[in-house]
């Protein structure tokens, strides 16, 4: 980080980032805040993440690490280590799992997330079944959207995530399972074809 100890006087803060699960699905938390800092700003101590998802007014920046395809046979999709599970559960109202728990399962979170593939290749699937393959340098923006990650390469993949909390409209909180979602997608398709509401 390049901060300012006082206006106009900048200084680097260098820190080594450790993944919460370096051998599998993990995250290396780089920086964030729960409330916007005032400037000039320079950290008094190393960044300590309190939750994976940021609270209202907050931001998270982290690297998400995905193992190579060859390792999937010996692993299960999971939220990673015990430490990572605690961080996910620290902000339980902000995430909804539709068909299991883990980043290979359909889920959504109350945030705008700007994800940049730093290395490797990975796919993202939308709830309507469409899929995009992302390579190094590609960017995807999630607007609180239901999605799942798919490991498709024999190389590990790292994605840089910048996540801003977003508030949902009342009555639009995610609920149910993927079966419920698929039924709604089918109903919307029928509505579009017939011009009638389901």
């Amino acid at each position: 980080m390049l901060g300012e100890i006082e206006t106009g006087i900048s200084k680097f803060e260098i820190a080594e980032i450790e993944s919460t699960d370096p051998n599998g699905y993990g995250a290396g938390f780089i920086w964030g805040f729960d409330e916007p800092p005032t400037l000039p700003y320079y950290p008094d101590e190393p960044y300590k993440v309190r939750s994976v998802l940021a609270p209202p007014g907050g931001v998270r920046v982290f690297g998400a690490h995905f193992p190579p395809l060859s390792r999937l046979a010996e692993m299960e999709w999971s939220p990673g280590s015990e430490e990572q599970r605690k961080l996910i559960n620290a902000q339980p109202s902000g995430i909804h799992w539709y068909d299991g728990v883990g980043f290979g399962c359909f889920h959504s979170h109350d945030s705008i997330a700007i994800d940049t593939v730093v290395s490797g290749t990975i796919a993202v699937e939308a709830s309507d079944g469409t899929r995009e393959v992302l390579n190094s340098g590609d960017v995807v923006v999630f607007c609180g959207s239901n999605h799942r990650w798919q490991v498709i390469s024999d190389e590990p993949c790292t994605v840089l995530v910048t996540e801003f909390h977003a508030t949902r409209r009342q009555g639009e909180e995610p609920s149910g399972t993927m079966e419920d979602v698929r039924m709604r997608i089918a109903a919307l398709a029928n509505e579009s074809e017939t011009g009638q509401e389901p």
Side-chain angles (χ1 to χ4, degrees):
M1 172 191 291
L2 182 60
E4 283 194 329
I5 53 177
E6 60 180 77
T7 300
I9 303 177
S10 57
K11 180 182 177 183
F12 280 106
E13 169 68 19
I14 308 298
E16 293 293 326
I17 306 299
E18 295 184 6
S19 174
T20 55
D21 190 3
N23 297 315
Y25 308 104
F29 292 93
I30 299 169
W31 191 67
F33 53 78
D34 292 349
E35 296 179 356
T38 56
L39 301 178
Y41 174 79
Y42 188 82
D44 295 326
E45 55 188 27
Y47 174 64
K48 177 69 173 173
V49 65
R50 295 180 179 87
S51 61
V52 171
L53 296 175
V59 168
R60 295 288 183 270
V61 181
F62 60 92
H65 309 293
F66 298 87
L69 188 61
S70 59
R71 292 206 56 214
L72 290 186
E74 63 187 80
M75 299 176 62
E76 295 182 359
W77 281 105
S78 73
S81 67
E82 182 63 28
E83 178 187 353
Q84 189 163 328
R85 283 190 287 273
K86 288 178 181 177
L87 292 172
I88 290 172
N89 292 332
Q91 193 73 20
S93 62
I95 191 164
H96 180 73
W97 302 99
Y98 287 91
D99 62 350
V101 176
F103 295 105
C105 301
F106 278 104
H107 65 287
S108 63
H109 26 80
D110 293 351
S111 65
I112 304 299
I114 304 165
D115 293 11
T116 304
V117 180
V118 176
S119 63
T121 299
I122 198 162
V124 178
E125 184 179 355
S127 60
D128 65 0
T130 57
R131 188 177 84 155
E132 291 290 334
V133 175
L134 306 175
N135 297 295
S136 180
D138 288 342
V139 178
V140 59
V141 179
F142 296 101
C143 299
S145 39
N146 185 5
H147 67 283
R148 70 175 172 182
W149 295 98
Q150 293 180 324
V151 174
I152 59 173
S153 171
D154 283 327
E155 296 295 326
C157 180
T158 298
V159 178
L160 179 65
V161 179
T162 303
E163 180 258 331
F164 304 83
H165 179 89
T167 302
R168 290 185 182 272
R169 288 193 300 267
Q170 190 171 4
E172 293 291 340
E173 297 83 3
S175 63
T177 65
M178 276 306 295
E179 183 61 29
D180 300 322
V181 171
R182 292 184 182 104
M183 289 174 61
R184 181 61 182 148
I185 290 171
L188 288 171
N190 181 63
E191 177 184 346
S192 177
E193 290 175 4
T194 63
Q196 299 178 346
E197 293 189 12

